[in-house]
Amino acid sequence: MTAYFDNSATTKPCEKAVEKMLFTLRECWGNPSSSHEKGVEAQMLLDSCRKTLADKLSCSPQEIFFTSGGTESNNIAVLGAARAAARSGKKVITGAVEHPSVMRAFDRLESEGFEVIRIGTDRFGRIDLAAMEDALDGSTTLVSVMAVNNELGTVEPTAEIAALIRKKAPRALFHVDAVQAFGKIPLSVRRPAVDLMSVSSHKIHGPKGVGALYVKKGTKLQALSFGGGQESNLRPGTEAMPAIAGFATAVEELTTEKSLKKVTALRDELVENLSKIPGLVINSPVEALPYIVNISLPGYPSETVLNFLSDMDIYVSSGSACSKGHRSHVLTAAGLPAEIIDSSLRISFSRYTTPRELEYLIEGLKRATERIMKR
């Protein structure tokens, strides 16, 4: 059998999303910018998709902008916000365990003369609130923190960070990378109050190549690209309607609370069984998002175990799919020792994960420790 546990990298598109994409390709294939009937039909579909996303995030449709995915949403949010506010101040703050699309955007800002403060974390990747409070001041123009860590599953204290920003740096914009949180836990741009939020389609059983950025009304962003004025000039270019339609349909198919309950039960069963494997270490905190469990088998290199499991048609990850071939910056920033980092594996669930798949994964991990030890 096949057991897929790399859902934090990407999920299998749900059937309804695939059907909607095919419909859009075959029937509603007009350009939303065209004024004839086919164009109007496509524009109506685009408006409907935008409303679906807005309703899910508790905002207005005018505050939703479609992008090519989480990476582009993060780039537009970080670079666009910081550059737009540069005359007011060039101090920006982020966490030390952010996704590469945020990290590298801040690296670029630093090369442009911005003062970048990177806040450290505890061993579970949880951001240091005291350090955040100390760093915030009246010259801060942007804070960007992820909602859920993509490697450890740690739920970051975004509500507390929002409160600190209001207290210490009320003019600063707050961006939340919610790619790993969207559709998995109840989420709203109102709780905590944020100015910018990034979400992605292919993490919630939608197609790849599409995401969205929430931009609070009145928030100023400097555009990163230029074209025909689509998406209010923030992300110009003909809209990828089949992907957008698939994304919106995947959002409509979400069963957040029901799925969370199911995945929590599977996670708890996994952790109980993992505790019986000698030497195995669980790196994720107890209160982590249950969709992600990060483990280590000290003495067993990640790639060796990953390949062993792959030969059994069991698919896990050795870290973020966007950091392939590199030692995890998340686990490094969290202060974990090299033997833990180099043997780490990320197991990630979806709402379609079955108990039988879980049994096979546990069997595979046990076999891996037994077989590799004998080599």
Side-chain angles (χ1 to χ4, degrees):
M1 68 173 293
T2 297
Y4 183 77
F5 286 92
D6 197 16
N7 291 284
S8 288
T10 198
T11 56
K12 180 180 178 180
C14 65
E15 286 302 315
K16 289 288 183 65
V18 173
E19 290 171 6
K20 190 67 173 183
M21 292 178 71
L22 289 173
F23 165 79
T24 308
L25 285 165
R26 291 169 174 162
E27 305 293 335
C28 192
W29 42 262
N31 188 325
S33 297
S34 297
S35 57
H36 50 63
E37 185 177 348
K38 274 293 181 186
V40 172
E41 183 182 51
Q43 181 63 55
M44 290 176 64
L45 176 59
L46 179 61
D47 291 344
S48 174
C49 293
R50 202 182 305 278
K51 185 177 186 306
T52 295
L53 266 292
D55 289 347
K56 195 65 179 177
L57 290 174
S58 304
C59 64
S60 74
Q62 291 71 34
E63 294 173 308
I64 294 293
F65 298 85
F66 288 110
T67 68
S68 65
T71 289
E72 186 176 38
S73 292
N74 285 339
N75 273 242
I76 293 172
V78 172
L79 297 174
R83 290 169 178 169
R87 289 186 178 181
S88 300
K90 301 187 86 173
K91 182 177 183 180
V92 292
I93 300 174
T94 190
V97 294
E98 301 302 309
H99 187 271
S101 60
V102 169
M103 286 178 56
R104 289 169 189 165
F106 274 93
D107 290 345
R108 173 57 65 90
L109 290 175
E110 195 166 39
S111 74
E112 295 174 3
F114 284 81
E115 178 189 4
V116 177
I117 307 297
R118 299 173 179 85
I119 306 297
T121 72
D122 64 14
R123 72 169 302 277
F124 294 116
R126 188 182 297 107
I127 204 158
D128 185 334
L129 286 174
M132 175 66 77
E133 184 172 13
D134 288 343
L136 287 165
D137 59 32
S139 65
T140 307
T141 57
L142 174 68
V143 178
S144 179
V145 174
M146 59 183 13
V148 171
N149 187 270
N150 58 306
E151 291 193 38
L152 289 166
T154 304
V155 180
E156 297 293 353
T158 51
E160 290 87 343
I161 293 170
L164 289 175
I165 293 171
R166 289 195 298 271
K167 173 184 174 184
K168 299 288 298 292
R171 293 191 305 163
L173 296 178
F174 186 25
H175 167 244
V176 171
D177 171 4
V179 167
Q180 293 294 343
F182 183 55
K184 298 170 185 174
I185 55 176
L187 197 65
S188 167
V189 298
R190 311 299 181 201
R191 301 184 305 275
V194 302
D195 302 288
L196 302 151
M197 181 177 284
S198 305
V199 296
S200 181
S201 165
H202 74 108
K203 311 293 188 181
I204 61 162
H205 305 285
K208 298 175 184 63
V210 62
L213 177 65
Y214 158 75
V215 182
K216 184 179 179 180
K217 184 178 179 181
T219 300
K220 294 182 179 179
L221 298 179
Q222 187 178 109
L224 307 186
S225 55
F226 307 91
Q230 295 89 347
E231 298 303 296
S232 300
N233 283 308
L234 189 61
R235 203 277 179 177
T238 302
E239 294 90 349
M241 287 308 303
I244 290 171
F247 182 16
T249 301
V251 170
E252 292 172 347
E253 290 296 298
L254 288 171
T255 55
T256 303
E257 293 183 2
K258 179 181 177 182
S259 298
L260 183 60
K261 183 177 180 180
K262 172 190 173 181
V263 170
T264 299
L266 290 173
R267 186 277 310 272
D268 291 347
E269 183 179 347
L270 173 66
V271 170
E272 181 181 351
N273 280 276
L274 291 180
S275 65
K276 300 172 185 176
I277 298 178
L280 187 143
V281 177
I282 297 176
N283 301 316
S284 297
V286 173
E287 67 278 11
L289 179 77
Y291 283 82
I292 299 174
V293 179
N294 192 293
I295 67 171
S296 289
L297 283 161
Y300 301 83
S302 300
E303 291 302 316
T304 301
V305 179
L306 187 151
N307 291 333
F308 181 92
L309 293 174
S310 183
D311 288 341
M312 294 178 62
D313 292 327
I314 300 171
Y315 304 110
V316 299
S317 170
S318 57
S320 168
C322 295
S323 300
K324 185 177 180 180
H326 300 280
R327 176 175 281 178
S328 168
H329 76 278
V330 171
L331 302 188
T332 300
L336 298 182
E339 61 269 22
I340 294 293
I341 298 172
D342 294 340
S343 62
S344 66
L345 295 171
R346 181 183 65 182
I347 297 165
S348 47
F349 297 86
S350 85
R351 69 173 184 263
Y352 296 127
T353 303
T354 66
R356 180 69 188 96
E357 284 181 292
L358 184 60
E359 290 174 11
Y360 192 44
L361 169 65
I362 295 167
E363 178 187 341
L365 286 169
K366 290 178 179 177
R367 279 197 212 174
T369 56
E370 293 167 359
R371 302 277 179 87
I372 296 171
M373 184 182 295
K374 293 177 181 178
R375 293 178 182 176

